[in-house]
Amino acid sequence: MRRSLAGVALAVTSMVALSFLIPLAALVMSLVKEQSVTAAEQQAAALAPVLALTTDPSALRESAASLDAARYVVVHLPDEPALGASRAPAALLERAQQGRESISQQMPGGWICLQPVVLPGDQVAVIENFVPEEELTRGVTASWTVMLLLAVGLVGGSVLVADRLGAKVVRSSKRLAHASQALGRGNLDARVDPMGPRELREAGIAFNTMAHRMTELLAVERELVADLSHRLRTPLTALHLATERMAGSPESARVEAAVCALETELRAIITAARTPLAVGPMGQGMLGTEAGTDTDPGTAYHATYPGPAGPRCEAADVVRRRTAFWAVLAEQQNRPCDLDLTQEPAAVGLSEDDVAAVVDALIGNVFRHTPPDTAFAVRVARTAQAVELVVEDAGPGIPEPEQALSRGSSTGSSGLGLDIARRAGSVTGGSVRIARGPRGGARITVVFGLAAPLPSGRASRASRRRTGRPRTR
């Protein structure tokens, strides 16, 4: 933008300067020429009274010597040689003598002025004055140079002023753009200092108002989530009491484990909702934190170890734990469950909570939308650039895959589970695909981009943290 504004100022000022400079240069040349010719005519006229008094050559020479540029003044007396070196053509001299006409015209090398003077006895003498070409243009070059320098200074000054004004506009626009990008990346504290022209200041004020209002709305939404999650503790308490009354029965241990898992999940939701609004997209909420580990497959797993660019985890380990949790319910409903996990490292750029949420959403859809006795399979495969999580079942399948990926638009479902999987995949540069699997039902493939490798020191600490091996010195 600065270049554009400077270019516009350069073009406009140059055109204005040229529109004045060219006529002014021609006027200066015309004035200098006119002044030189007028001076020559005045010199010739000043010698005319001397001729009226005397025609003595010596007196005429003395009178001509007192004039400026006397070397160009020539007196033509009748029937006598010219007093000086004449440059006038014979035709012009004869015309001036015979016609007694004052002649002033341009000729090769300069300008000639002929002034006839009537002498006693009705004779005519002619005073000649010649103006050389250099006298006709004396001072024109200097005047043009001054005007050109003034024009260049005017153009340069206008470009400099336009560049300074453009710099303020560009600086304001860049600050607004950077603040918008920071807000889009999840920095809810991003604000802009309104500056520049009035329109940009108003845009900056509107951006700050929007960001402040967005923060307020998100805070209200998180408080609402926390409150709703907190209200679920009442029925959970009732379930705890019910399991105590069921003590001794074969199902009491499983129900108690499920209730504890649900309570842990609610506690995690409330904690996340109560944290300050400074999180970005999925996968950045627990960056660099480590809430602890839990080997119980029915309990939420919060361990996250930081990677070079954010959270990361081993997808196969998380899938194994969450599938073991769902296997208890699958056994009760007589659902055959196949689990196939890659033996290669399958680190993805998400926290274990995020990967667990994806697994729970996909397997939960199988239990929710297929009848009991329906088999399903979970597989984790490693490719050259990605990790693929595949969940397929032997149910009726998904009739409209594209619609199923839209939150709240699928028939009989909110679409939230698939939306969670889609967002998790997109954060790592992956995607979600829905197709019909070999079992005849739905086959959902979530592709996660591979996480960047950890430095050797961090990798060893992360490995000890996952396996529980003690540190050695």
Side-chain angles (χ1 to χ4, degrees), residues 196-210:
R198 180 174 59 86
E199 292 79 4
L200 284 177
R201 289 199 303 270
E202 292 177 353
I205 294 173
F207 173 83
N208 291 340
T209 303
M210 177 196 67

Side-chain angles (χ1 to χ4, degrees), residues 128-140:
E128 172 191 339
N129 197 358
F130 179 76
V131 182
E133 188 71 32
E134 59 269 15
E135 293 293 330
L136 294 175
T137 58
R138 182 186 297 275
V140 172

Side-chain angles (χ1 to χ4, degrees), residues 1-16 155-156 158-164 166-167:
M1 181 179 290
R2 290 178 62 180
R3 289 184 178 180
S4 300
L5 292 175
V8 170
L10 176 63
V12 173
T13 314
S14 299
M15 288 188 293
V16 173
V155 173
S158 65
V159 171
L160 181 62
V161 171
D163 181 71
R164 291 298 89 199

